[in-house]
Amino acid sequence: MLRPKPFDHKTCFSLKEALHLLDDSAGGIKILAGGTDLLPNLKHRLYPETGAVLSLRNLPELRGVETQQNELIIGAGERLADLSSHPALVATLPALAATFGTIASPQIRNMATLGGNLCLDTRCRYINQTDFWRQALGGCLKSHGDQCHVVPGGKNCVAAFSGDAAIALIALEAEVELLSVQGQRRIPLVQLYRSNGAAHLTLHPNELLSRIFIPLISGRKLAFRKWSVRRSIDFPLVNLAVRMDSDAGGNVQKLVAVVGVLAAKPKVFPRLADLLESGTLDARGIETIADFLFRKCAPLPNVPYDPGYRKEMLRVQARRALHALLQEDLLSVRQD
Amino acid sequence: MADAQNTRDRHDVVGSRHRRVDGLARLTGEARYTDDIFLPRMAIGKILRSPHAHARIIAIDTSAAENLPGVFAVITGKDMPLPYGIIPWTQDEHALALEKVRYIGDAVAAVAAVDEDTALQALELIEVEYEILPAYLTPESALATGAVKIHEKNKKGNISKHVLLEFGAVNENMRQADLVIEGDYFFQGTTHAAIEPHCAVAEFDSAGHLTVWSATQVPHYLHRELARVLGLPQENIRVIQPNLGGAFGGKSEPFDLEFCVAKLAQKCGRPVKILYTREEVFYAHRGRHPMQMHYETGFDKNGRILAVDTHTILDGGAYSSFGLVTTYYSGQLLTAPYAFASYRFDSTRVFTNKPACGPKRGHGSVQPRFAIEIQLDKAAHALGIDPIELRRRNALPAHTRTVNDLHIRSNGFLECLDRVEQASGWKERYGKLPFGHGLGVAGSTYISGTNYPIYPNDMPQSGVKITIDRSGRVTLYSGASDIGQGSNTMLAVIAAQELGLEVADITVISADTALTPVDLGAYSSRITLMAGTACLQAAKELAAKIRSSVAKKWGCAPENLTLIQHSVRALDDPDRRMPVIEAFALAEAEFGTLCTTGYFETITEGVHGDYRGATIGASPAYSFTAHVAEVRVDAETGLVRVEKIWAAHDCGKALSPVSVEGQIEGSVYMGAAEAVMEEHTTMENGLLAAPSLLDYRIPTALDTPEIEAMIVQSEDPMGPYGAKEAGEGPLHPAIPAIANAIFDAVGVRIDMLPITPEKILAALRVKEAEEKSTVRD
């Protein structure tokens, strides 16, 4: 078994205490929720500066699902397994619940939290390896080195954000609450990310992601699709969500696509409705949009599998997601 | 008499659906594996590995590591300068690199420390100065003119082994053939991915005697190599193989950690344990050789095979391992179940700067099987003959000799074909399913043990000792390694059958060189036939003693008695019975302490031909298998879903049908995984692309096809009760059957493994373009 570098394990019994600990540690502490991303990364020794982890285990403030004024509010500490079958979620946003149910594997969903999935670190074939492996490679932009192996000569880390939940939630215009000792701020989820794979979160080192707000809008539909080699466990190699808002007459008001696993920041296409000549989502419109996304997205060899094939898959999955929007029952589905 | 015989059959242990002897312990977590061993004062060892694919070691400075508090010992190649290797003629490995490192992950130094963290810290303090040499990651580059020799003492550049054998008039037959199919195939490297990583613990006692516990498949060979490399008398070494968490060929030779724990324990005067990380398991490898195979096959118009001509390049990796045997197997094991009128194979194994390849389940013969079974499918289509029918026309009979002079006795291949044809609805469905949905067939054969020991000797290959204590409990001692395949259960079944007991009445002590008679190990699917025969002999001798004592008391003939259901009974009077424990006591009183032995000796007559290399590939008995695979292909994405595999396997006689079915299912799973998913590959600099079980993908339950395992029993005269192997043969046909089913589904051939969606998509596009241009013409 791989050993992480020895670290301290800190627990706290109130949100306030947690925020103070974060504030005092000046970035040398990592937040431990489910641990399904953090612990493998610590074993790979990806965070040499980390001397401690802060466990969120005893913070009931981070749990709970409630509906308030056309908004669904989810505590960041809710576990993915619970959310995927949560009655409030299944009733109001079945496609989102189903999306949560496709993440990783049952065992991982039993531990992993929604907040943790949104803060998932970026991934790359050249980073998510052991310390020995990375040293044999000679390091990279994200790991004690100065060269990029994905984009030779590149100066910006293009490690890929590989979360699934964020893709669906950004499509739904979700917002997140970030807490610190200085106070709280609420930002659109999409603004949590920036395009630097080595530091892809805009979350400050002393901040904690506490709640997720999802607007509930009638006439809104969501479809999420992903492709991974295996039907369980694997990180996605292609994922995308499409959301459509229609008026009572069935005319498309807004059509949005969000694409993940390209680089550090999910890619948002907010005005796809403009591409629909007929104003409704028909077979021709689906092809047009799928082709548009195919042209606009360029998968890189940052995660396994041939980028050219992943680009092809993106078109197919976009087509299938858009077709799913036309159906009554919206379930997010995987690879076939 | 007939009634008694019926009772006998009904209560046969052989062939019944019983529990495994270790089933409950493994399920409950009670079973102890090597890593569960904790000894007082035990130190933890770690191995420093090379970050370079090919380099000369200029200097190693271990002083800082030695001075780190908590470090007990540091060793380097100089501590164990003798080379070792599983094949006596190609010993080219060192426990720790002596002058050169030959792949990323090659062992350079080892430390023993108070705990793992300290050991890891010590590794960071070891300074190694390297002179980098060019790294050869493909056979082509390793064979190029001017390439540096990976092994300086090797005579032929970077060629590890070359075999060219010809049987019959290949060129002439090929010229006369009505149809010649020519194809290039590539089998990607794959690894075993046993869930238990390699682990070893060593302890010296005050008399200087060494005990090594190791997760090995070959305690006997390890015993010999430890003695040689450490320079210790063999009689002062004891090797114990605890419960094993899977092996599949990946633990069938000595590894660096086994020598390192012993040397470190000797040096620091404490027991030492080393457990590989998963990454180290990938470096240790010994998985399937990548093979480039050029095949030419000539057929007459009725589909009969006139000539087979093959050229194969094996990418061997950095060391010889079993490579000499693999190179022979890549050709020798192709000659059944089909009759070849003539055959030539030309196989070359090449050293490259990658983890060494070796034996993985179906050693050396899974790759050529992939090629030939697709060749047959192509011929069936070209000739308009049903692929199963084409295979029937070429099937060898029972009791025959192959073109390369292997002696086949029992042969249930035709029944295997019948079974999968019927179960899969082949006649009604093959070639008639809608686009995207297809069926494919393939057949195969495999050995039930390699005929000869790895080091030449005239002693038995397997011995078994059976004792009975006064409680009636039977203890069986065997050197054979239960690696999860169930060999301990197999031995208990045989003893229970012969002694009128149940499986649970038998305690099996196995794979402990101090307690058990020698068995050569768990490789080449040899244990059921060889250890099973030894066990049957010992059990029969014991049963004869017991019958004789009871016969004397009852005044009847011993032949008139049978041991069944915990009693001795008279065949002609079912009411006349004696509890078996009384019978045991009678026998002990008459013969003294009850203990018998049995052994399996090498069969020297008629097994193989008389030419150089004839012995490699020869076996006392051959198993046969046929599969039909059903697939669905999404033509838009290229994704293949293997829906179902029907697998019929001729194991001679199923001693434990549940175990045989388990072996068939496990084999099919592993083959299907190699067909569509697994790749053990390196990146440009020689680093493994996927040294973890997240990136090296083996199927989850959701990715596994439905499997229908069917047992065919041809009862071989050489096996105990007619039994042959079941652990490796059933893997072979899965891969070509899937490839052939994909052709039936969407009309494209994928001859390069693994069959990934992008390959299918690319082939479909080429086909589409061709069809369009045909229409235009």
Side-chain angles (χ1 to χ4, degrees), chain A residues 206-221:
Chain A
N206 69 342
E207 279 181 323
L208 180 70
L209 194 161
S210 51
R211 290 193 291 174
I212 296 94
F213 307 88
I214 309 162
L216 295 173
I217 292 170
S218 71
R220 171 165 282 193
K221 285 183 165 188

Side-chain angles (χ1 to χ4, degrees), chain B residues 35-119:
Chain B
D35 187 40
D36 292 322
I37 296 169
F38 290 91
L39 300 175
R41 301 177 65 249
M42 186 174 81
I44 298 298
K46 279 279 167 193
I47 296 174
L48 181 73
R49 298 189 178 278
S50 164
H52 305 295
H54 196 188
R56 201 175 305 285
I57 296 172
I58 305 297
I60 305 180
D61 182 356
T62 60
S63 53
E66 279 160 29
N67 291 332
L68 182 71
V71 171
F72 301 131
V74 182
I75 54 173
T76 65
K78 289 183 183 135
D79 290 288
M80 291 178 280
L82 277 185
Y84 67 89
I86 186 72
I87 305 289
W89 301 276
T90 59
Q91 299 196 318
D92 55 12
E93 297 188 58
H94 289 90
L96 297 166
L98 204 54
E99 289 158 352
K100 273 176 78 172
V101 289
R102 298 181 173 89
Y103 70 99
I104 293 180
D106 219 350
V108 175
V111 302
V114 64
D115 58 26
E116 200 174 351
D117 290 331
T118 309

Side-chain angles (χ1 to χ4, degrees), chain B residues 167-240:
Chain B
F167 310 94
V170 174
N171 292 348
E172 196 185 323
N173 283 8
M174 202 69 84
R175 270 197 302 277
Q176 286 170 5
D178 296 311
L179 172 73
V180 175
I181 300 283
E182 201 172 341
D184 282 294
Y185 301 88
F186 177 65
F187 201 111
Q188 183 57 280
T190 65
T191 201
H192 318 80
I195 293 308
E196 179 202 27
H198 302 56
C199 184
V201 180
E203 180 181 39
F204 277 89
D205 68 12
S206 47
H209 292 188
L210 167 68
T211 302
V212 172
W213 293 262
S214 180
T216 179
Q217 300 175 243
V218 285
H220 176 64
Y221 294 131
L222 176 59
H223 189 193
R224 290 168 52 86
E225 291 303 288
L226 280 170
R228 223 174 45 75
V229 172
L230 297 169
L232 293 172
Q234 217 170 310
E235 66 271 24
N236 290 356
I237 300 177
R238 175 180 181 185
V239 175
I240 301 171

